Amino acid sequence: MSISIDQSKCIGCRRCHDVCPGTLIKINEDKKAFIKYPKDCWGCTSCIKECPVHAIQFFLGEDIGGKGSKVHTEKVKGEKNDIVRWFFELNDGSVKTIDIDPKESNKY
Amino acid sequence: MKIEKIKTGLLIIGGGTAGCYAAITAAGIRDVANNAASNAAENKGDGLKILVVEKANIKRSGCLAAGVNALNAYITEGRTPKDYVDYAKKDADGIVREDLLYSISEKFNEVTAHLEKLGLVILKDKDGKYVTRGNRNIKINGENIKPILAAAVAKAPNVQVLNHVNIFDFSVHDNKIDGAFGFGIENDTFYAIEADAVIVATGGASGLYRPNNPGFSRHKMWYPPFNTGAGYAMGIRHGAEMTTFEMRFIALRCKDTIAPTGTLAQGVGAKQVNALGEVYETKYGISTSERVYGTVAENLEGRGPCYLRTVGISPEQEESLLKAYLNMAPSQTIRWIENDTPSKANVEIEGTEPYIVGGHTASGYWVDTNRATTIEGLYAAGDVAGGAPQKYVTGALAEGEIAAKSAVEYINATVDRHAPLQGARNDVETEATIKEAEIASHVAEIETYLSQKNSLYTTEQLEEAMQIAMDEYAGGITTGYGYTEKQLNIAKEKIDEIESLTGKLSATDLQEVMYIYELKERLTVCKSVIAHLATRHETRWHSFAENLDYPEKDNANFRKYVNSRLENGEIKIILRDLTAEGQKNYEHQH
């Protein structure tokens, strides 16, 4: 279970570092974030939600059946309030999205 | 390493669900008291100082980092707290403390209302009533539940938060706690914290057993891999009485992603079916442990794999499921997007490795109704506290509140009211309870780990060895959760051996020192788990405590709490009689 960080996008804001519940993300000398302990990631996606420039993507390990999709979220303007859009970039290059309205409860 | 000494009134160790709510509650109490005495100018600035110490960051730390999809403990219309107590009692086959269950059940709805006020989205019908899921659950959007709690802590008066500081030992003198020791993971600082009272809210223990997927995805587990049983271990080492460690928790989860199954079972009514398509849950019973046991048994008897039958759900149901999982366990949604969605393929399920967690089973500190542990001045809340299974989020909040009220009452009763509270004023010198020699000894140990080189084994290797020993000899996934006395003896020997190797481990920074301490915490908890499993000569809960030497339930001898306490380095087992039916108050007999 882990994440990948695109350092060319990273702006060094440290927000991913600050929220990781395992303190697994560190900042290197160039002020870029990197995951120091990738095997220790729980997969909570807190860092992905914090990243203001969508530099962090989440994926399923191959050992648990991952097929190469990368996932990130973006905040987009909805009709009433901001919604969270989840992007799923599949291995074949196609992209799927799911919108979550934070003001809307789960149905189940 | 810099050494920082801090004095505070109330120290809360662990800023998860229970810890945050304890901080909010304690701050609120003093707020009320200060308002009442607002004319007394001398009171200004003397409010109780509250310090939350968290090894990560309270915004996303603990069990609810990814969110939670429902509040599973709520008293719905027409139901009473007694109904909830009866449910939890039945699920644990009698081994619960009714006083503890009553005290949380009576607060479920009140803490829920407070959460809503703080910003949690709860689904309501057109009359403004909460929409329920089954008899005890309400529907929410709990993705941001932890940021909501963290924001409330930030607003609470007199609360200071130390993030990224790992507490690894209590300071206890004559069975009375007066503080704790820790270190900053990233700031090269040792902390000696003196406190008038302490609430331990560090959660339960994961990582004791080999996980479902021990390779790259070893941390894709049900319980937070960062909850290492620190609170249990610190208490055990200082002689606190612990209860029911033999009632392990094993979650029934979606295979590989280890995502929740309750949302499928309760949300869209998915039944547990075997590979032949037969519904098997009715055959084994539907208690939490029986649902796991049935799945294990079907596999052993050649009717695996097992599934939750979701094929045929409507497109609307499917869409709602994909969204619901994004709000609590995003891996499962990715899984569905990469493969067949639940309307097209049933969801394969499996049992996890065992965990020790007082929010789901009854393992943890032996507390009185006020959540006082057997160490004076130390209170326990949430997964670290025992006796009250099926606590869930609202139960953890309720216990945080109860522990905070009790701790503040204790401080008010024991600390001289005319003297400024400890830590309230920096210009008043009070006698230090933590001695320099104690600080020096802890610092020396940490520096040994940082300076010694050439350790044959790494912390990671010893952790893996521990998990293999527990898996193979103390009832892990490999043995279908069963164990015998002979196997437990081997487990104990192996854990002792691994523990003896920890002294030579080396670390390059304080985060790696934390990993060494976490390993030692887990080893301490393992020893207690083994001792408890070896004591209960019966099988009361399938899978959770599957004693192959004693496959039947023994009501004549084991309708009792199995408790333990470390005395002179040995785990002493104490069998205690169950509290009386309907008993609402329990006091320690010190």
Side-chain angles (χ1 to χ4, degrees):
Chain A
M1 186 94 290
S2 208
I3 55 162
S4 68
I5 303 178
D6 181 348
Q7 291 193 344
S8 67
K9 285 187 186 168
C10 175
I11 54 168
C13 71
R14 301 179 67 89
R15 285 165 66 173
C16 56
H17 159 273
D18 291 349
V19 294
C20 174
T23 323
L24 308 174
I25 302 173
K26 305 291 172 186
I27 309 296
N28 70 16
E29 285 170 0
D30 299 329
K31 295 193 174 163
K32 301 287 185 186
F34 69 101
I35 178 151
K36 189 174 177 188
Y37 305 97
K39 280 169 76 177
D40 288 349
C41 171
W42 187 26
C44 72
T45 65
S46 300
C47 54
I48 284 144
K49 295 166 189 167
E50 286 290 329
C51 181
V53 293
H54 327 304
I56 312 179
Q57 299 215 311
F58 172 61
F59 63 94
L60 295 189
E62 200 275 337
D63 59 337
I64 55 169
K67 293 187 174 173
S69 302
K70 290 179 168 183
V71 181
H72 77 273
T73 65
E74 292 182 20
K75 277 199 182 77
V76 294
K77 285 264 172 258
E79 279 172 29
K80 291 181 203 152
N81 45 275
D82 281 356
I83 55 169
V84 178
R85 180 162 294 161
W86 289 74
F87 289 82
F88 302 82
E89 289 174 41
L90 275 70
N91 203 33
D92 63 7
S94 63
V95 177
K96 287 185 182 171
T97 60
I98 296 180
D99 285 355
I100 298 279
D101 183 345
K103 300 278 181 205
E104 207 172 86
S105 163
N106 293 351
K107 292 225 171 62
Y108 303 118
Chain B
M1 195 162 38
K2 211 171 79 190
I3 295 173
E4 196 172 325
K5 295 176 197 168
I6 298 175
K7 285 188 178 187
T8 192
L10 174 61
L11 169 64
I12 299 169
I13 306 174
T17 315
C20 281
Y21 208 72
I24 299 164
T25 305
I29 297 168
R30 287 309 286 203
D31 220 19
V32 172
N34 285 346
N35 286 345
S38 59
N39 292 334
E42 66 270 21
N43 262 1
K44 278 189 182 165
D46 279 359
L48 174 67
K49 267 199 169 184
I50 301 155
L51 178 65
V52 179
V53 183
E54 161 61 49
K55 73 175 168 182
N57 180 308
I58 66 165
K59 187 170 181 186
R60 287 283 183 180
S61 61
C63 298
L64 304 184
V68 61
N69 94 306
L71 293 181
N72 289 323
Y74 188 81
I75 309 301
T76 56
E77 209 171 305
R79 302 259 160 181
T80 64
K82 184 177 183 303
D83 293 328
Y84 197 87
V85 174
D86 290 346
Y87 152 71
K89 190 178 173 185
K90 189 174 172 215
D91 204 71
D93 206 342
I95 312 300
V96 297
R97 283 265 306 278
E98 288 194 34
D99 61 311
L100 300 176
L101 285 169
Y102 268 110
S103 66
I104 57 173
S105 303
E106 284 161 358
K107 285 184 183 296
F108 287 157
N109 294 18
E110 181 194 313
V111 297
T112 302
H114 190 197
L115 267 184
E116 190 180 21
K117 223 172 103 188
L118 293 175
L120 185 76
V121 172
I122 305 180
L123 188 63
K124 289 180 174 167
D125 63 17
K126 58 182 190 320
D127 301 322
K129 284 183 184 160
Y130 295 154
V131 175
T132 59
R133 182 184 91 171
N135 294 329
R136 296 174 290 272
N137 301 7
I138 56 172
K139 300 176 183 183
I140 62 171
N141 184 330
E143 187 283 321
N144 60 349
I145 190 165
K146 203 59 215 306
I148 287 171
L149 282 169
V153 171
K155 278 192 206 135
N158 293 333
V159 179
Q160 192 202 341
V161 179
L162 273 182
N163 286 317
H164 297 121
V165 172
N166 180 56
I167 297 288
F168 66 95
D169 196 10
F170 295 149
S171 174
V172 179
H173 296 98
D174 301 324
N175 198 42
K176 182 171 179 283
I177 195 163
D178 51 40
F181 303 99
F183 50 83
I185 300 165
E186 297 187 319
N187 68 355
D188 203 31
T189 303
F190 180 89
Y191 292 90
I193 303 167
E194 290 188 2
D196 296 323
V198 178
I199 295 174
V200 58
T202 49
S206 65
L208 308 178
Y209 285 81
R210 182 161 49 187
N212 289 96
N213 303 290
F216 180 74
S217 300
R218 64 185 182 188
H219 273 187
K220 186 62 252 172
M221 50 178 61
W222 167 73
Y223 202 58
F226 318 112
N227 285 17
T228 54
Y232 298 141
M234 292 188 285
I236 290 167
R237 292 172 194 150
H238 284 286
E241 188 167 331
M242 296 285 165
T243 190
T244 325
F245 271 12
E246 75 283 10
M247 189 182 184
R248 307 172 303 168
F249 185 72
I250 297 157
L252 184 70
R253 303 298 268 190
C254 301
K255 188 168 185 300
D256 297 333
T257 59
I258 318 296
T261 51
T263 304
L264 295 167
Q266 296 187 48
V268 300
K271 297 279 181 213
Q272 287 175 234
V273 293
N274 61 23
L276 308 172
E278 299 162 343
V279 174
Y280 63 84
E281 57 191 46
T282 39
K283 204 159 114 192
Y284 300 94
I286 54 163
S287 76
T288 312
S289 64
E290 286 161 347
R291 282 180 176 278
V292 176
Y293 175 68
T295 307
V296 173
E298 288 296 303
N299 273 293
L300 286 176
E301 289 169 21
R303 291 187 294 275
C306 295
Y307 301 89
L308 276 167
R309 193 171 60 198
T310 53
V311 166
I313 60 168
S314 71
E316 294 76 29
Q317 284 180 311
E318 178 160 290
E319 195 198 333
S320 296
L321 279 181
L322 264 63
K323 287 187 175 183
Y325 276 86
L326 280 182
N327 285 334
M328 58 165 169
S331 320
Q332 185 60 29
T333 305
I334 303 178
R335 168 79 163 209
W336 279 324
I337 285 187
E338 288 188 333
N339 299 280
D340 280 336
T341 51
S343 65
K344 297 189 191 76
N346 292 331
V347 177
E348 191 178 340
I349 52 176
E350 65 181 337
T352 64
E353 74 276 19
Y355 307 93
I356 300 300
V357 49
H360 290 258
T361 66
S363 315
Y365 277 88
W366 182 245
V367 291
D368 69 8
T369 314
N370 298 323
R371 270 54 174 189
T373 70
T374 57
I375 295 175
E376 189 187 335
L378 177 66
Y379 297 80
D383 286 350
V384 85
Q390 315 293 347
K391 215 176 266 178
Y392 296 106
V393 174
T394 45
L397 297 170
E399 283 200 333
E401 179 183 322
I402 296 165
K405 285 180 177 165
S406 308
V408 171
E409 203 169 292
Y410 169 79
I411 292 171
N412 284 340
T414 53
V415 175
D416 185 354
R417 284 174 165 284
H418 301 292
L421 284 162
Q422 275 200 13
R425 284 182 185 163
N426 294 329
D427 56 339
V428 178
E429 284 294 320
T430 47
E431 201 192 337
T433 51
I434 294 178
K435 306 288 177 241
E436 289 300 325
E438 294 168 313
I439 296 173
S441 141
H442 282 302
V443 169
E445 185 179 80
I446 292 169
E447 283 177 344
T448 301
Y449 289 126
L450 287 169
S451 61
Q452 66 191 4
K453 303 275 180 246
N454 303 326
S455 170
L456 189 56
Y457 304 113
T458 63
T459 310
E460 193 175 355
Q461 284 164 351
L462 293 190
E463 182 180 302
E464 211 175 336
M466 166 192 72
Q467 291 178 345
I468 290 171
M470 293 299 285
D471 180 56
E472 293 177 345
Y473 297 107
I477 295 169
T478 296
T479 62
Y481 308 117
Y483 51 83
T484 63
E485 190 179 334
K486 281 200 172 76
Q487 287 173 319
L488 291 176
N489 287 338
I490 299 171
K492 185 184 178 305
E493 254 175 57
K494 286 183 176 282
I495 297 300
D496 283 341
E497 280 166 20
I498 296 164
E499 194 170 45
S500 74
L501 297 171
T502 56
K504 291 205 170 134
L505 288 171
S506 57
T508 58
D509 58 24
L510 284 177
Q511 183 147 353
E512 287 182 15
V513 172
M514 176 175 78
Y515 293 153
I516 296 175
Y517 282 116
E518 289 178 339
L519 169 67
K520 298 203 304 185
E521 285 154 7
R522 286 178 162 130
L523 289 164
T524 298
V525 177
C526 284
K527 290 199 283 188
S528 286
V529 171
I530 294 166
H532 277 247
L533 289 173
T535 302
R536 192 171 279 284
H537 289 177
E538 64 160 358
T539 296
R540 178 166 298 269
W541 317 285
H542 275 308
S543 301
F544 289 10
E546 191 80 48
N547 192 330
L548 300 174
D549 294 330
Y550 303 93
E552 303 298 325
K553 184 158 75 178
D554 178 1
N555 275 337
N557 294 303
F558 283 98
R559 275 187 58 81
K560 284 185 188 295
Y561 307 110
V562 175
N563 287 8
S564 66
R565 185 185 284 165
L566 198 66
E567 282 184 13
N568 305 316
E570 295 293 320
I571 298 171
K572 185 188 156 196
I573 294 289
I574 307 152
L575 288 180
R576 290 196 183 274
D577 290 334
L578 297 186
T579 51
E581 174 116 23
Q583 185 176 328
K584 285 201 174 180
N585 195 40
Y586 176 87
E587 288 175 28
H588 291 309
Q589 308 294 319
H590 281 299

